[in-house]
Amino acid sequence: MKSAFKFFALSLLAGTMFAACGGDENETEVPPPPSPIEITNNVNGVIKAGIADAIVITGSGFDESQDYIYIAYDKEDGTTVYDRIPKDVLTIKATRISFGVNVGAAYLDKTVKVYLDRPGYDKIAISGEITFSLPSVEEGYIPDVALRAVLSNADKNPNVVFSPLGLLDVNNAATITNNGNGYALDISDCACTSLEGIELFKSVTGLVPAWGMPNIKEIDLSKWEAKGIEFFCERAASLEKFVGPPYAYRIRTYDSPKLTHVDVHNCDWLRWLEISNFETGGGINAPNSAVTYLDIRRNQSGTYADTPTKVGEMAMVWNNANQGFNVADNATILIDSHFLIEHTLEGAWTPIYNAWKDRGATIKVYSTIDPHRDELLGTVPSAKEMPDALVNANKNGDGSPANKWQVDDPYTDKNEAPGNK
């Protein structure tokens, strides 16, 4: 490969030719030679992708009108690939070249060099060896390519802003209340395998269409603190585990045939939970439900104490019009002591009671009060062991709990369990 000093030689040669032909009107005038290029710094080492002007090369002789900048790397077969840096992320001045690289670039796992190309001359290396690191999620990096593509789709989410280098604008994400298209966010029909980074949308509220995601196996939204969202992830064909966000007030996971684990015990605002497979046959008694672990414990601490039926502060499960939730045979269901004592909404209690009475469910009862919410207070005897342990009713006429089996929650101010006063 020819050296940058070739420009000096060409300059002399061109000057000689011009002088020799100076008086000949029939000869074409040779254009002036390019300025000699010098590099005064040695860029090498690890560079963070997604950051504007992360690569800065200084020197002299650069020409914005003639020069093109490439990232070069070798493929496994030994051929060299030159990937051109787009103009919208590149600045060329006479003494400085600066640019960043996209978080989706194909060469981020490679060792590369920066090359300058000027038409009529060989490309020359203007950097040392470079490798790349990725930004953090907190900086706006959405790791899943498919999720990044859906969020940045202006037809789906016009209010969401990404940089030219593929980073989510975290300030914008933290403040927008909707996607500009009628939803909180629209991630429907996404081929992603992870939703990491969705928690950066801290202020959105309303419906989040997440249906039709065929590849995702686990959804953990425990870090997403957006308030008042409705998360609908029907038809998630591969979904096995779902952990809900703390301030969602409606969650729907219909028709996810592999879903075995549902945990909404930290969803303090939840009041509408739907996990049946009713669309594919069976309503609330759908025999094809795969859910074997259901955690619907409710928080009764602090703000949420003594407000079991207040909208936005009560966890319930909905059972109406062949909807609601259903579990597989022999499932484990976790509930809180308050719900055991006072299940005011029968639609919330009936599916639990039926699963215990007819389908072998194990019901474990925990405290409702932090920091003891992970403390197991007792396990309901099976329907075979004690057929009247639970009943499908709320309280007796005298106000006492209808269930024959109760537990003492020693951390509550008020204990309604018989024999524990």
Side-chain angles (χ1 to χ4, degrees), residues 353 355-361 380-389:
Y353 172 77
W356 169 81
K357 181 176 181 293
D358 300 324
R359 304 182 65 194
V380 178
S382 70
K384 289 182 179 180
E385 294 173 321
M386 187 177 178
D388 59 351

Side-chain angles (χ1 to χ4, degrees), residues 111-150:
T111 298
V112 308
K113 287 186 177 182
V114 181
Y115 275 76
L116 181 146
D117 183 31
R118 184 171 290 177
Y121 304 94
D122 286 349
K123 297 181 180 70
I124 60 169
I126 57 174
S127 79
E129 292 187 340
I130 294 171
T131 57
F132 296 98
S133 64
L134 289 168
S136 65
V137 170
E138 291 74 20
E139 291 174 293
Y141 176 57
I142 306 297
D144 191 285
V145 175
L147 179 62
R148 192 161 67 234
V150 167

Side-chain angles (χ1 to χ4, degrees), residues 88-347:
D88 62 340
V89 299
L90 172 66
T91 301
I92 300 178
K93 302 295 184 183
T95 60
R96 186 178 186 271
I97 295 171
S98 63
F99 61 94
V101 300
N102 196 288
V103 295
Y107 46 76
L108 295 186
D109 61 341
K110 307 284 195 285
T111 298
V112 308
K113 287 186 177 182
V114 181
Y115 275 76
L116 181 146
D117 183 31
R118 184 171 290 177
Y121 304 94
D122 286 349
K123 297 181 180 70
I124 60 169
I126 57 174
S127 79
E129 292 187 340
I130 294 171
T131 57
F132 296 98
S133 64
L134 289 168
S136 65
V137 170
E138 291 74 20
E139 291 174 293
Y141 176 57
I142 306 297
D144 191 285
V145 175
L147 179 62
R148 192 161 67 234
V150 167
L151 289 173
S152 62
N153 184 331
D155 293 330
K156 281 198 165 193
N157 297 291
N159 281 353
V160 177
V161 178
F162 277 78
S163 76
L165 296 175
L167 281 190
L168 177 70
D169 184 327
V170 293
N171 293 324
N172 169 267
T175 55
I176 61 172
T177 57
N178 61 74
N179 73 340
N181 206 21
Y183 298 115
L185 288 175
D186 186 353
I187 57 173
S188 60
D189 302 311
C190 181
C192 65
T193 59
S194 168
L195 294 181
E196 187 177 8
I198 201 169
E199 66 272 12
L200 297 173
F201 295 90
K202 299 177 180 180
S203 302
V204 294
T205 188
L207 179 60
V208 180
W211 47 70
M213 297 194 296
N215 300 323
I216 195 162
K217 291 184 177 181
E218 180 174 339
I219 295 177
D220 186 343
L221 303 176
S222 57
K223 295 180 181 179
W224 194 10
E225 297 188 348
K227 293 178 170 60
I229 58 174
E230 301 176 69
F231 194 85
F232 285 20
C233 59
E234 301 121 324
R235 305 185 304 280
S238 301
L239 183 63
E240 298 174 0
K241 181 177 181 179
F242 180 90
V243 180
Y247 303 115
Y249 73 81
R250 186 175 182 182
I251 292 171
R252 175 186 282 182
T253 61
Y254 283 161
D255 300 305
S256 301
K258 296 182 180 180
L259 180 61
T260 60
H261 184 113
V262 176
D263 182 353
V264 295
H265 85 280
N266 282 322
C267 300
D268 291 331
W269 285 19
L270 185 64
R271 57 187 175 92
W272 199 337
L273 175 65
E274 303 159 87
I275 58 172
S276 76
N277 290 324
F278 85 105
E279 289 184 357
T280 53
I284 62 168
N285 296 312
N288 58 344
S289 175
V291 175
T292 55
Y293 180 93
L294 176 65
D295 188 346
I296 52 173
R297 293 176 288 155
R298 188 172 64 250
N299 186 2
Q300 287 283 301
S301 301
T303 303
Y304 308 104
D306 301 319
T307 55
T309 59
K310 186 175 180 180
V311 172
E313 293 184 353
M314 177 183 177
M316 63 170 284
V317 288
W318 191 55
N319 176 13
N320 186 39
N322 274 348
Q323 298 180 42
F325 83 89
N326 190 40
V327 294
D329 291 346
N330 304 312
T332 297
I333 303 173
L334 281 60
I335 66 173
D336 59 86
S337 63
H338 192 285
F339 192 44
L340 176 72
I341 294 167
E342 180 159 4
H343 36 272
T344 305
L345 294 172
E346 301 309 322

